[in-house]
Each structure stands twice: as C-alpha cells, then as structure tokens.
Amino acid sequence: MAERIDEKILDFINEVEKREAKKDICKGPVKIGERYYEFEEKDFFDEKLKIWIPNDFEEMSEEARKFKYPSENRPEIIKCNENGSIAITLNITDNLLDEAHVEEFKNLSKVIVKRMNPANVFFEDGVLEINNKNIGYFDYKSSAIDDFLYNFMFFLEFEGKALMGTFSCIHNECKEWRDVVFQIIRNIKENNKSKMS
C-alpha cells in the first residue's frame, strides 16, 4: 500500500518537472524536439499586430510559396524555418468580423476545411479570450505528398475584418509544438494606438 502511494507521489513529481521543463517562449530559449528556439516579438501589418515567433524564421521564398500554397489567394505573410517544414502564416481576409461572431466564423471555417478534404482528422476547437479579444481555433491532421501534416488554425477580429493565422509542421512533431503554438496565440497583441504624425 505504502509503495503504491510512493509511486503515485513520484509520478506526480515527474509530471510537475516535465511541465516546468516547458519554458516560456517570452523568457528565453525553448527546447522543441532536438533543438532550442529563441522567440522574439515581431510586428506585422504596419506594427498593428505583435506575435512571438522563432527569431530564425524567414519569409518563405516566392517559389516555395507557389508550391506549398498553390491557390492564388495564398497567405500574405508566411514565416518558416530554413527548409519550410514549419510555417506560421497570417492573412487579413475580406470577411467582415466583430468580436461577437468569432466563434461562428471559426465554426464555418472548420466546415469549409472539412469539405475541402473529408480525410482530415480534427482534434480540438474552441475560443480563447486573450487581452479582451476572442481568438477562435481548431487543429487537425492532413495528408501531404509524402507525410502527414499538423495544422493549427486561428481567427480573430482585426480592424473589423477576419484575420486568419495558421501554424503547420510535420505531424510527428506536433506533440513538441502544440503547447508552444498555444503560447504564441496567448501572447498575440493588437496595437490600437494610432501613430501621431
């Protein structure tokens, strides 16, 4: 009996240590998989939106963009690692959106993604309230030419329109990245202050 209790206490301590090992992306290097990533807060859309991304992510090349996002309405911003296997995208859509309809927009987007490829496997969806903003999200597994991909899509109101973001990586790396993606989402900031000229 005492041994079983000791085992449970050890399991609990191990779990706490594992959780503490997951570092804060805003406070220094974070180990993801086999390497450390340094995150920094970057400005987008004329410094009106701030998002923490790995500091070595670069703008995806035009050639890679056309291959990875064959549709002409590909995302405006695509930041990726050196081989393009991990990417973060941001795009302001033409869809009007207000805070009250973020969940509805997220649900509709999920339906569209399902219809485009019924083989996608969906995991979780929800709406987070971050800095008085609603951010809708869902994640899913899709198949690529030679592997499976993990995709995390998020949506928020930005200047009256729907801003859509995605994170994608090879599916077998998603366990390492998922918590980090939630940290990225939780640290999104909108800079509403209009600049004085």
Side-chain angles (χ1 to χ4, degrees), residues 44-49 76 91-99 102 133-134 155-164 189-195:
F44 297 99
F45 306 117
D46 300 324
E47 299 181 12
K48 292 176 186 167
L49 195 76
E76 195 176 330
N91 199 39
I92 299 169
T93 70
D94 292 331
N95 302 55
L96 298 177
L97 186 65
D98 59 36
E99 287 299 325
V102 169
K133 284 199 80 66
N134 290 319
F155 313 89
L156 59 141
E157 176 278 326
F158 181 75
E159 299 189 328
K161 291 192 172 177
L163 185 144
M164 190 166 85
K189 285 193 203 96
E190 202 177 348
N191 187 4
N192 299 343
K193 296 173 199 129
S194 52
K195 294 191 171 156

Side-chain angles (χ1 to χ4, degrees), residues 46-107:
D46 300 324
E47 299 181 12
K48 292 176 186 167
L49 195 76
K50 294 174 176 292
I51 296 187
W52 288 80
I53 66 170
N55 65 1
D56 59 351
F57 274 29
E58 297 288 333
E59 199 63 43
M60 187 177 273
S61 72
E62 202 55 45
E63 194 181 323
R65 280 167 174 260
K66 286 178 179 167
F67 179 74
K68 193 162 179 168
Y69 303 91
S71 161
E72 278 307 309
N73 57 353
R74 62 186 64 88
E76 195 176 330
I77 292 164
I78 306 171
K79 297 282 187 184
C80 64
N81 64 345
E82 60 193 25
N83 67 8
S85 65
I86 304 167
I88 294 171
T89 74
L90 297 168
N91 199 39
I92 299 169
T93 70
D94 292 331
N95 302 55
L96 298 177
L97 186 65
D98 59 36
E99 287 299 325
H101 294 93
V102 169
E103 184 165 20
E104 202 177 301
F105 186 82
K106 179 263 299 176
N107 292 341

Side-chain angles (χ1 to χ4, degrees), residues 9-49:
I9 291 168
L10 279 174
D11 287 346
F12 177 74
I13 290 168
N14 287 338
E15 204 51 48
V16 168
E17 284 174 353
K18 255 192 235 165
R19 245 181 271 138
E20 283 175 358
K22 297 231 183 260
K23 297 254 187 351
D24 184 338
I25 62 169
C26 306
K27 292 183 178 166
V30 178
K31 190 173 186 200
I32 305 168
E34 295 303 306
R35 61 159 284 196
Y36 282 88
Y37 288 85
E38 188 96 42
F39 283 73
E40 68 180 329
E41 194 173 43
K42 302 246 186 176
D43 293 315
F44 297 99
F45 306 117
D46 300 324
E47 299 181 12
K48 292 176 186 167
L49 195 76

